[in-house]
Structures are given as structure tokens and as C-alpha cells.
Amino acid sequence: MPLTRNQMAARAAQELVDGSYVNLGIGLPTLIPNYVPDDVTVVLHSENGVLGVGPYPWEGEADPKLINAGKETVTVLPGASYFDSALSFGMIRGKRIDTAILGAMQVSARGDIANWAVPGKLIKGPGGAMDLVHGARRVIVVMEHVAKSGDHKIVTECDLPLTGRGVVSRIITDLAVIDVTDAGLVLRELAPGVSVDDVRAATGAPLDAEGVIETIDVAV
């Protein structure tokens, strides 16, 4: 059966490397810190100017002046630092961020990502996503496999405005883990109870499923 949002976040947390600097997008990626393994320490970066972001505050303990880029109240860990947006984006553009994990509305077979605008709907702006997908050393997308409308989100070509071209290396969904390679999309893992045919039917692009395919292991 498909993974829950918490299970998707737990699977994405397995991608984090001890000692790395990580930027998490808004929405589902913000659940990932809850599932970082105890033996892994990462430094979370927020593009509004915080390095060392901690967990969400308990009710009644929030500081309204301490927020992340998604305007959510957060805490900070010992040793955290604050800086202006110019320095924050200098870190991103200077490739000091090891991993960016973002949501998306579409990802193409060659790793293009569209995640900032839907034609006809209110557009607030791309935020820091365009810088992150080009500045982070590795870009991972975590999202539901298909849209609420049933439309494919993994497609041969994106038809929504692009955030970046050829930048995504791995896609984690409620159905599967898929790598973006020079030869196209490669299926690596399946959610428990989900078949290769299920994933192919939900994917709007050719999918290589000939190699060893593991079962996603998350206990949430």
C-alpha cells in the first residue's frame, strides 16, 4: 500500500549523511527532521538566514521572531548562527549546501523540476528554490506519485514552469524510490504491497525496472 506522508519523510531521512549541510523545502520535507537517525547529525539551513535550525517549538514556547523560510516558527540548536539573505544565498550559490530536499508538482525523466508556479493560480514567486536546485550538490524530490486530480507528476517533459533543468537525482514518492540517470528513470525501491505495474501505471514516462528492486523499509 502507498506510504503515508510520515513514512515518506522517514524514507527521505535515510538519504541524509552525517555531518552534512541540508536545506529542506516547505511542506512534506519539513517532517524529515523527526526521522533523522540518532547516529546522524546534520546542520539544517534556512535561506532566510539561519544555520542550525532545530525542531518545531512546543505549544506556548514559540518565538514569533524566529521563523524559517516558510514563515513557520522554529527553534535553533546550540551553535546556531544568523545572517542576512545575501550571505545565505552566497552559501547556496557557492555550493556549500550538500543536499536539498524539495517538493514538486512535476519532475521529468531527465531530472527537470517544476515546483513554484501553476498557471492560472496565485503566484507568490519562486522563493529560493531556483537557487537551491542549482546550488545544492544533490537534489532530492519527495512528493506524492500522482496529483490529487490523478494526473502524472513524473512525466517525460514538464509542462509547468520549470525551476531547474536536469538537477534532480532521486525521487521519493508514496509508491517508490526512483533514480534519475543519464539513461532515464530507474526504479530502485517499491512501497510494501505496491507492484512494478502499479508504479508504471502511475508514471508518465518510461521506467526501467529490470535491476534489483528493494522494498522500502520504514517503521513509522
Side-chain angles (χ1 to χ4, degrees), residues 5-19:
R5 288 171 65 85
N6 284 325
Q7 288 174 324
M8 293 163 64
R11 176 59 188 83
Q14 296 174 15
E15 299 290 321
L16 301 181
V17 177
D18 188 46

Side-chain angles (χ1 to χ4, degrees), residues 13 16-25 32-33 36-37 39-47 49-55 75-83 91-92 96-101 132 136:
L16 301 181
V17 177
D18 188 46
S20 60
Y21 292 85
V22 178
N23 185 288
L24 302 176
I32 292 172
V36 176
D39 60 346
V40 173
T41 299
V42 297
V43 180
L44 295 182
H45 168 271
S46 183
E47 58 263 37
V50 186
L51 197 62
V53 178
T75 62
V76 292
L77 300 177
S81 57
Y82 306 97
F83 33 85
M91 293 176 185
I92 297 170
R96 298 295 191 267
I97 303 302
D98 296 298
T99 304
I101 305 182
L132 282 167

Side-chain angles (χ1 to χ4, degrees), residues 92-208:
I92 297 170
R93 294 167 185 169
K95 297 191 179 297
R96 298 295 191 267
I97 303 302
D98 296 298
T99 304
I101 305 182
L102 308 169
M105 289 174 279
Q106 288 181 336
V107 179
S108 81
R110 60 170 171 259
D112 303 341
I113 178 174
N115 77 340
W116 72 277
V118 177
K121 294 190 176 182
L122 177 65
I123 298 175
K124 297 181 180 179
M130 288 186 177
D131 285 278
L132 282 167
V133 299
H134 293 95
R137 296 175 182 174
R138 188 181 187 211
V139 176
I140 299 169
V141 166
V142 56
M143 65 180 186
E144 279 79 15
H145 207 100
V146 298
K148 292 180 180 178
S149 63
D151 292 339
H152 293 141
K153 296 178 72 172
I154 302 175
V155 293
T156 300
E157 297 280 351
C158 296
D159 57 20
L160 294 175
L162 291 182
T163 310
R165 291 184 181 274
V167 292
V168 177
S169 61
R170 172 160 281 192
I171 308 166
I172 298 171
T173 77
D174 51 339
L175 301 183
V177 175
I178 297 171
D179 280 345
V180 181
T181 74
D182 292 340
L185 301 175
V186 179
L187 180 62
R188 300 298 190 193
E189 300 175 26
L190 288 169
V194 174
S195 70
V196 172
D197 287 342
D198 291 333
V199 176
R200 279 196 163 128
T203 304
L207 182 65
D208 180 354

